[in-house]
Amino acid sequence: MIREALDDFRRYRRDKEANSQIYKKLTAVGIKNILSSDIRVGDLLFVEKNQRVPADMVLLRTADRSGSIFIRTDQLDGETDWKLRLAVPYTQALAADKELFALNASLFAEKPQKDIHSFIGTFSKTNEEGLQSEDPLSLQNALWASTVVASSSALGIVIYTGREMRSVMNTSQPKSKVGQLDLEINTLTKVLFTSVVALSILMMSIKGFTGPWYRYLVRFILLFSYIIPISLRVNLDMGKAAYSWMIQQDDEIPGTVVRSTTIPEELGRIVYLLTDKTGTLTQNEMVFKKIHLGTVSFASDTMDEVMTHVRDTYAVQTSSSSSSTPTQPAAITSRVKRTVVTRVHEAVKAIALCHNVTPVYEDVNAVGSGPEADQLVGAKCTYQASSPDEVALVTWTENIGLALVKRDQSSMQLTTPTGSCLSFSVLHIFPFTSESKRMGIIVKDETTDEIIFYLKGADVVMTSVVQYNDWLEEECGNMAREGLRTLVIAKKVLSEDQYKLFSNVHHQAQVSVENRAARVQAAVESLERDMQLLCITGVEDKLQADVRPTLEVLRNAAIKVWMLTGDKMETATCIAKSSQLVSRSQAIHTFRPISTRTDAHLELNMFRRRNDCALVISGESLEVCLKYYEHEFMELVCQCPAVVCCRCTPTQKADIVRLLRTHTGKPTCAIGDGGNDVSMIQAANAGIGIVGKEGKQASLAADFSITQFSFIARLLLVHGRNRYNHATLFLTAIRTTFVLHWNLSQQPRLFNWHLSLATFLNTDIISCHI
């Protein structure tokens, strides 16, 4: 109770500290300080750089003239990459902050909901002539609570507070985990107490229920109470605390943190280990490896040829421009070579333009003063984006010679290998979502006034978007088998009339309140037809250190490892082989996509004929099997030495953990590094979080926190085994105490100190062995 009271007191202090933070509030009479606990909907708040956002807000103004800022969302969604947020254009254009109080405007926000990746709102304003206009608001205009402003400062209006905030609605109260040892001790304690009451009643029956019999009954209960080792529970908690401290002090697994001191012995009982892929088995460090153009491909050892093609193209363009000739791709003597050079140039240009990456320079003052792109060449630059894949692609184009040097809300500037600057206007951006699985951008070349729509995404959605070809599916499969993450890139040149028509339809969809997402998606899909396929890119996600020997040791210890990932089947299978989760000689049964009960029955019969093989199954097929044949499927899959579940949602990951616990009754352990692994970690008997590039959300929600995957072998097989061995000594202590007191309870020669000594010898001394 003292330990739990101490934890509650620490939690109270943290809550009080969070609610007592001071923020600046803009009022009609000036700026005043306000506590975070006093913030209300409609308040105008300033959030400085590196300051936590206290409530859900809509961004109205920023210190940057472009109206853009970066925020860190690692404590909200587990991603460490900075996110770009944009102020409302109308309020950003005001001369001063106080002019906000003179506006005749209103802001509409959708009802509170849990989805942190979407927001629907409108900003309505009425000008001096009485004309009303509306601007759509989306996720790019929103600042959710628990995020941190990473650049500049921001002024926003509060739209949600308290339980209506996104971060609070996505916070669930995790159930307290109780180890099997505690459950067994509770059961045995109940048995011992029942035995004490039964013995007392028996003794009363022999004596007779005469006179003040209830007094004698209480005396008998107190006399036989020595059968129950009362100090065992206290000593057990002390032993767990001591062992948790020993885990954190182990020099061979530095950085390990025990966040739950109640279940360290569960580490020694694990039978199933469920692990994430990206960031857990892999480093989440993307390296560009391969590009395929249909007729030719370039790998790491031939990237110098791509560099040469790009340099030659812009060299000829520069010479052509100086001689007053049209700036078209270089005229190469050989027609075949001209085709290859042109395709390489178009592909590299598309990769350099189709993204959401923003270059950030260390010299903030210089950049804030608005330098030109040529002034930034040579300055130290880092790229920030919501996806490490995009950073890898833009870094590759920089190495090739086409570098992104400046970007804001409406423009983008590239430098060529010859040192010239290419300027583009950003007309529309269509961010990547898990539903669409693609990202698009419409840009206008400032030199030629050409409007181009670029699109990149997964092959499963891009196949129906691009023109007919006979190599896309095959090459994507080949790259996936090499363990590469693939992206398909395409483009479409738009005429002025096509763009104006699309812009009108898209704007009407954006300002609509009902079914906005569906209408916007329909407008974008009207452009995604008959697009020109440019290339396929392959990015490698490197394995974590010592992943292979760690998995081999776990397999030798009879621990079955399952990999649950949201990646596609080919990439997941390749990572499973390269990490030796599935040995090269081991057979693999790939569950084909199914959607009906008949398909599930046929596939299960086929799987039943396979013996000692690893299983690879998608989340959709898994859901169908569990819907119709849950018991049969779990009985078969638990016999597999390894299982790979791909295209899994966070909810499916947690459901798989619960199914394993329910159907097998065996202890499970889940390990991950991102916010999408929290549900799985909390559902397992023992949850382990890795402090990685996706943030600390999984680490903070886990029972144990480590810094790399290889530490799990020592955590389970050394510390877990030792703790479990000591747990068996505790159970032996209970049984010995029970037998000892049962045999000696009727010996009148024993005094109270004899019984106390017996309890001490069977509990306290065993605790000291820990």
Side-chain angles (χ1 to χ4, degrees):
M1 292 178 62
I2 296 177
R3 186 185 62 179
E4 294 177 356
L6 183 60
D7 291 340
D8 290 340
F9 178 71
R10 291 173 178 171
R11 191 177 300 110
Y12 164 76
R13 291 181 60 182
R14 289 196 300 266
D15 294 342
K16 186 176 181 180
E17 181 181 356
N19 293 327
S20 301
Q21 292 184 3
I22 298 177
Y23 291 86
K24 294 181 180 179
K25 176 183 176 181
L26 179 65
T27 63
V29 296
I31 299 176
K32 70 175 186 178
N33 294 330
I34 183 176
L35 295 177
S36 56
S37 58
D38 297 330
I39 294 175
R40 299 293 182 266
V41 173
D43 289 347
L44 297 176
L45 298 181
F46 287 99
V47 184
E48 303 297 334
K49 182 179 179 181
N50 295 325
Q51 193 173 26
R52 183 181 66 89
V53 178
D56 291 352
M57 305 166 58
V58 169
L59 183 60
L60 298 180
R61 293 173 60 81
T62 68
D64 192 283
R65 289 182 300 177
S66 64
S68 62
I69 61 169
F70 285 99
I71 62 173
R72 298 196 301 268
T73 63
D74 53 337
Q75 299 304 317
L76 184 65
D77 57 10
E79 298 179 359
T80 56
D81 298 294
W82 292 5
K83 308 293 192 306
L84 179 67
R85 292 295 182 262
L86 306 175
V88 177
Y90 186 80
T91 55
Q92 177 66 27
L94 298 177
D97 296 334
K98 290 186 177 181
E99 294 186 12
L100 290 171
F101 295 97
L103 292 179
N104 184 8
S106 62
L107 189 147
F108 167 79
E110 63 181 349
K111 65 179 182 180
Q113 59 177 344
K114 297 177 64 175
D115 189 4
I116 63 174
H117 301 293
S118 67
F119 173 68
I120 296 177
T122 55
F123 180 81
S124 304
K125 54 187 179 295
T126 305
N127 57 18
E128 298 178 354
E129 300 176 356
L131 298 178
Q132 186 175 3
S133 59
E134 292 184 348
D135 291 331
L137 301 179
S138 64
L139 178 63
Q140 288 190 324
N141 307 113
L143 300 176
W144 301 141
S146 298
T147 60
V148 178
V149 175
S151 65
S152 187
S153 61
L155 172 62
I157 181 171
V158 178
I159 55 175
Y160 306 118
T161 59
R163 296 182 178 180
E164 295 181 347
M165 296 189 302
R166 293 291 206 273
S167 58
V168 176
M169 297 180 70
N170 281 277
T171 302
S172 58
Q173 288 295 109
K175 296 181 180 179
S176 298
K177 296 182 179 180
V178 181
Q180 187 65 28
L181 175 62
D182 291 323
L183 295 177
E184 292 180 4
I185 290 178
N186 291 340
T187 302
L188 292 174
T189 303
K190 294 175 183 177
V191 171
L192 292 176
F193 179 76
T194 304
S195 302
V196 169
V197 175
L199 282 173
S200 301
I201 295 175
L202 177 62
M203 297 301 294
M204 281 299 304
S205 300
I206 297 174
K207 182 181 181 302
F209 291 90
T210 58
W213 61 269
Y214 52 87
R215 295 182 183 177
Y216 293 104
L217 179 61
V218 173
R219 291 176 181 176
F220 281 122
I221 291 177
L222 293 177
L223 178 62
F224 291 122
S225 63
Y226 284 99
I227 295 178
I228 304 175
I230 299 175
S231 61
L232 178 62
R233 172 65 65 181
V234 177
N235 294 319
L236 180 61
D237 290 340
M238 293 175 60
K240 289 182 177 183
Y243 201 81
S244 300
W245 179 82
M246 292 172 62
I247 293 177
Q248 296 182 132
Q249 298 301 313
D250 192 344
D251 294 334
E252 296 189 26
I253 48 175
T256 301
V257 179
V258 180
R259 304 191 186 279
S260 177
T261 60
T262 59
I263 55 172
E265 76 281 353
E266 290 295 298
L267 296 174
R269 305 176 65 250
I270 299 302
V271 177
Y272 291 95
L273 174 65
L274 300 99
T275 174
D276 181 39
K277 181 182 73 67
T278 305
T280 304
L281 296 179
T282 61
Q283 297 182 19
N284 201 16
E285 179 180 333
M286 307 301 174
V287 179
F288 191 95
K289 286 293 184 179
K290 195 173 185 179
I291 181 172
H292 200 289
L293 305 177
T295 57
V296 62
S297 66
F298 300 93
S300 302
D301 54 346
T302 56
M303 288 301 176
D304 55 341
E305 298 182 20
V306 179
M307 190 181 303
T308 301
H309 293 329
V310 174
R311 183 174 60 249
D312 292 344
T313 300
Y314 286 103
V316 175
Q317 285 188 6
T318 302
S319 62
S320 299
S321 177
S322 61
S323 60
S324 300
T325 59
T327 58
Q328 298 296 331
I332 309 298
T333 55
S334 170
R335 181 177 180 82
V336 176
K337 186 175 182 180
R338 181 173 66 247
T339 302
V340 173
V341 171
T342 303
R343 298 184 70 174
V344 168
H345 168 253
E346 290 179 350
V348 174
K349 183 179 177 182
I351 297 173
L353 291 174
C354 186
H355 53 74
N356 251 327
V357 180
T358 302
V360 178
Y361 296 87
E362 292 186 357
D363 190 355
V364 181
N365 296 327
V367 178
S369 61
E372 297 300 327
D374 55 356
Q375 297 175 342
L376 298 175
V377 176
K380 189 173 182 180
C381 169
T382 57
Y383 294 119
Q384 294 295 339
S386 58
S387 170
D389 299 67
E390 289 195 328
V391 175
L393 293 175
V394 175
T395 303
W396 176 76
T397 61
E398 179 186 12
N399 297 333
I400 293 301
L402 196 61
L404 173 68
V405 293
K406 189 177 181 182
R407 177 173 183 164
D408 55 29
Q409 184 176 350
S410 59
S411 65
M412 192 184 310
Q413 293 182 353
L414 309 176
T415 56
T416 66
T418 59
S420 59
C421 179
L422 303 178
S423 299
F424 298 86
S425 298
V426 179
L427 304 180
H428 287 282
I429 298 178
F430 314 111
F432 176 88
T433 63
S434 57
E435 292 79 16
S436 65
K437 295 183 176 63
R438 55 190 180 272
M439 177 266 172
I441 187 172
I442 300 178
V443 298
K444 182 178 181 180
D445 194 327
E446 297 282 345
T447 305
T448 62
D449 291 334
E450 184 181 39
I451 300 176
I452 307 176
F453 172 42
Y454 290 108
L455 186 70
K456 67 179 180 183
D459 58 310
V460 292
V461 296
M462 295 295 291
T463 303
S464 59
V465 171
V466 300
Q467 299 171 349
Y468 172 78
N469 61 87
D470 57 356
W471 58 275
L472 173 60
E473 184 176 354
E474 179 182 357
E475 293 303 328
C476 285
N478 292 337
M479 287 190 182
R481 281 186 286 273
E482 296 176 14
L484 303 180
R485 300 160 64 97
T486 58
L487 276 177
V488 180
I489 300 177
K491 80 168 187 175
K492 185 177 185 180
V493 179
L494 304 178
S495 64
E496 192 71 27
D497 294 336
Q498 284 178 315
Y499 172 71
K500 288 182 179 180
L501 177 61
F502 164 77
S503 182
N504 292 333
V505 175
H506 188 261
H507 180 74
Q508 293 297 325
Q510 280 187 316
V511 297
S512 62
V513 177
E514 297 182 357
N515 299 325
R516 175 186 294 186
R519 294 183 62 181
V520 170
Q521 186 61 32
V524 176
E525 288 178 354
S526 64
L527 291 180
E528 298 173 347
R529 299 172 183 171
D530 198 31
M531 299 190 68
Q532 178 186 352
L533 176 60
L534 296 179
C535 64
I536 305 172
T537 61
V539 178
E540 180 188 24
D541 193 356
K542 295 182 177 180
L543 289 177
Q544 291 275 7
D546 299 327
V547 166
R548 294 186 181 94
T550 301
L551 290 176
E552 183 178 358
V553 168
L554 294 175
R555 189 163 49 246
N556 293 336
I559 296 178
K560 296 182 179 181
V561 183
W562 290 23
M563 184 172 73
L564 313 181
T565 177
D567 216 332
K568 58 185 177 181
M569 184 174 293
E570 293 80 5
T571 305
T573 304
C574 182
I575 293 297
K577 290 182 178 179
S578 61
S579 64
Q580 293 185 4
L581 173 65
V582 178
S583 62
R584 297 284 182 179
S585 59
Q586 194 170 43
I588 298 178
H589 178 80
T590 303
F591 224 81
R592 66 181 181 87
I594 57 176
S595 57
T596 63
R597 181 170 185 167
T598 303
D599 294 340
H601 180 72
L602 295 175
E603 195 66 22
L604 283 175
N605 286 338
M606 186 180 301
F607 178 48
R608 190 176 285 108
R609 301 188 189 101
R610 304 290 297 271
N611 295 323
D612 193 30
C613 66
L615 174 66
V616 178
I617 186 172
S618 65
E620 295 179 356
S621 301
L622 175 67
E623 194 170 342
V624 174
C625 290
L626 295 178
K627 181 179 180 181
Y628 297 110
Y629 301 101
E630 178 178 319
H631 181 74
E632 293 84 351
F633 176 77
M634 293 302 299
E635 183 180 357
L636 290 173
V637 77
C638 289
Q639 300 174 3
C640 296
V643 177
V644 177
C645 297
C646 54
R647 297 299 190 190
C648 284
T649 64
T651 304
Q652 286 178 329
K653 291 182 178 182
D655 291 341
I656 293 173
V657 175
R658 296 189 187 98
L659 283 171
L660 273 176
R661 296 183 61 179
T662 303
H663 283 268
T664 65
K666 303 294 181 59
T668 60
C669 176
I671 180 171
D673 73 315
N676 58 340
D677 302 318
V678 171
S679 299
M680 173 179 68
I681 288 173
Q682 292 180 343
N685 294 84
I688 301 176
I690 297 179
V691 181
K693 292 188 175 182
E694 292 191 20
K696 296 183 178 180
Q697 191 169 2
S699 171
L700 295 175
D703 305 304
F704 305 89
S705 173
I706 58 179
T707 56
Q708 65 183 54
F709 180 81
S710 60
F711 290 172
I712 195 174
R714 182 171 178 82
L715 191 64
L716 297 182
L717 305 182
V718 177
H719 292 286
R721 177 182 178 277
N722 292 339
R723 188 64 191 90
Y724 183 67
N725 288 340
H726 297 149
T728 59
L729 291 178
F730 275 104
L731 293 179
T732 304
I734 297 180
R735 299 186 181 98
T736 304
T737 302
F738 178 75
V739 173
L740 178 64
H741 288 294
W742 182 273
N743 293 332
L744 301 180
S745 60
Q746 296 183 2
Q747 299 295 329
R749 293 186 300 273
L750 285 178
F751 298 97
N752 291 339
W753 66 270
H754 291 91
L755 301 179
S756 301
L757 179 61
T759 304
F760 172 78
L761 291 175
N762 285 279
T763 59
D764 296 69
I765 292 181
I766 292 178
S767 301
C768 295
H769 286 278
I770 298 178

